Amino acid sequence: MADIAGKPVGSGHARIPLLGFGTAVFPFTASETMKESILHAIKLGYRHIDAAAIYNSEPPVGEAIAEALGLGLIKSRAELFITSKLWCTDAHPDLVLPALRRTLKNLGLEYLDLYLIHFPVSLKPGSCEVPFEEKDLLPLDFKSVWEAMEECQSLGLSKLIGVSNFSCKKLQDLLVTAKISPAVNQVEMNPLWQQKKLREFCNGKGIHVTAYSPLGGRGTLWGTNRVLDCKVLQEIAQAKGKTVAQICLRWALEQDVSILVKSFNKERIEENLEILDWKLSPEESQKIDDIEQQRGFLAPMFVSEHGPYKSLEDFWDGEL
Ligand SMILES: NC(=O)C1=CN([C@@H]2O[C@H](COP(=O)(O)OP(=O)(O)OC[C@H]3O[C@@H](n4cnc5c(N)ncnc54)[C@H](OP(=O)(O)O)[C@@H]3O)[C@@H](O)[C@H]2O)C=CC1
Ligand SMILES: O=C[C@H](O)[C@@H](O)[C@@H](O)[C@H](O)C(=O)O
């Protein structure tokens, strides 16, 4: 069993496991493979599972948890750290609590460990699906939606609350009125988009950063191969006898963040775990540090002349 020690998160005693398991696969449909992969991951020692209403992954996550309990892979639900996310159509103050209750029903759980605002944007209320119409994009009412998130935590329906895809500026805006500070900001982070500024800001505010698409989301709708194809990373991997994926994951781990990686392939699920008992040398870390930075490709879906963000610069408030 892999030893995936957790990091403190939030203002209480909670800990977030270092390495988490992603469940986003486009088209967003649940499958038997998804459930089997989650179960396999739990068997190998993954303890954080990242779901979202939009992924349609909540039912298979719930089934995998029930099976893991039945098989004795875990003794209680409390051994797991389960995250899910509020989709933009429900990012309206009166829709947050009903959305979380639906999420819990889908998962068959009484509480989440972490509930996140998926994106700093709303969509006209309606069905939770992509693609969506650009004309449905709306500004997020940070204050009132966050108040509804705070209510979710106060009711004990989620132990922690947080955000995803938030720039420093947006976090700063949220913090002006927040009574509970976001425990986590889940963002894209990999050697090609290291999020140095955001991490520094979050560290200063006690907000834990979770890295998604640590491999650049190879082969996904929103990702790219440029991370796994990066020459510098390939050279380090070859010299070290590791895979490029392992170099990316180890690098992220050494930046003091937690990671979410998705694989539905048994060998790769295992390969991605084998990053805990070795280190990058200072020279290797420096080479990665020097890689030219560019933003990933996720946010363009939310950039539109009809919506609150007219450009990627706008979405990220010019931060890189
Ligand atoms: N909050 C947000 O807005 C977002 C959150 N996320 C979360 O983060 C998770 C991880 O990010 P994701 O975007 O999926 O991208 P990842 O960087 O985890 O890459 C996943 C892709 O890489 C492949 N892969 C996995 N392991 C290896 C390996 N060792 N070698 C080569 N290829 C590999 C997978 O294929 P295969 O399955 O065939 O192994 C899959 O195609 C998501 O699943 C989701 O839970 C992701 C995007 C946005
Ligand atoms: O419009 C598409 C979706 O928003 C998609 O970009 C996200 O759901 C993201 O891939 C994720 O995994 O969280």
Side-chain angles (χ1 to χ4, degrees), residues 90-253:
D90 288 316
H92 302 273
D94 51 331
L95 300 183
V96 174
L97 190 54
L100 175 53
R101 290 199 195 278
R102 260 195 324 274
T103 277
L104 291 171
K105 195 163 174 231
N106 286 338
L107 285 159
L109 296 179
E110 288 179 1
Y111 70 92
L112 286 181
D113 293 277
L114 178 62
Y115 196 40
L116 302 175
I117 298 181
H118 204 146
F119 285 97
V121 62
S122 292
L123 281 165
K124 201 176 109 196
S127 58
C128 176
E129 58 189 350
V130 286
F132 48 80
E133 299 219 33
E134 287 183 27
K135 67 173 174 46
D136 292 341
L137 285 163
L138 296 167
L140 176 76
D141 181 342
F142 287 77
K143 179 173 181 290
S144 62
V145 170
W146 189 251
E147 271 169 12
M149 294 290 285
E150 290 174 329
E151 191 191 355
C152 294
Q153 180 168 325
S154 305
L155 290 171
L157 298 177
S158 188
K159 301 241 180 223
L160 298 166
I161 50 174
V163 296
S164 180
N165 300 297
F166 271 50
S167 66
C168 304
K169 161 131 193 349
K170 291 185 178 61
L171 283 169
Q172 189 73 69
D173 290 348
L174 186 73
L175 288 170
V176 171
T177 54
K179 288 183 206 71
I180 302 175
S181 179
V184 168
N185 187 17
Q186 188 188 112
V187 291
E188 178 171 346
M189 179 180 152
N190 52 55
L192 271 73
W193 191 13
Q194 301 184 9
Q195 298 280 16
K196 284 183 192 160
K197 181 172 181 213
L198 187 64
R199 281 192 278 131
E200 205 175 300
F201 177 86
C202 287
N203 275 345
K205 300 287 180 195
I207 301 171
H208 174 83
V209 171
T210 298
Y212 74 67
S213 302
L215 313 180
R218 181 201 76 124
T220 65
L221 171 73
W222 49 90
T224 148
N225 287 355
R226 70 201 167 104
V227 173
L228 294 188
D229 287 350
C230 169
K231 274 249 146 33
V232 175
L233 298 174
Q234 286 177 346
E235 280 164 16
I236 296 174
Q238 201 174 16
K240 231 174 160 66
K242 303 289 176 193
T243 65
V244 177
Q246 289 172 324
I247 298 296
C248 292
L249 297 172
R250 181 68 213 182
W251 169 81
L253 211 60

Side-chain angles (χ1 to χ4, degrees), residues 19-59:
L19 192 57
F21 193 74
T23 63
V25 186
F26 195 81
F28 293 134
T29 23
S31 66
E32 188 61 19
T33 312
M34 187 185 282
K35 191 206 74 188
E36 287 303 327
S37 303
I38 298 163
L39 193 59
H40 187 66
I42 294 174
K43 191 174 187 176
L44 291 180
Y46 286 82
R47 290 293 175 265
H48 179 184
I49 301 164
D50 180 70
I54 192 67
Y55 305 163
N56 285 319
S57 63
E58 291 165 343

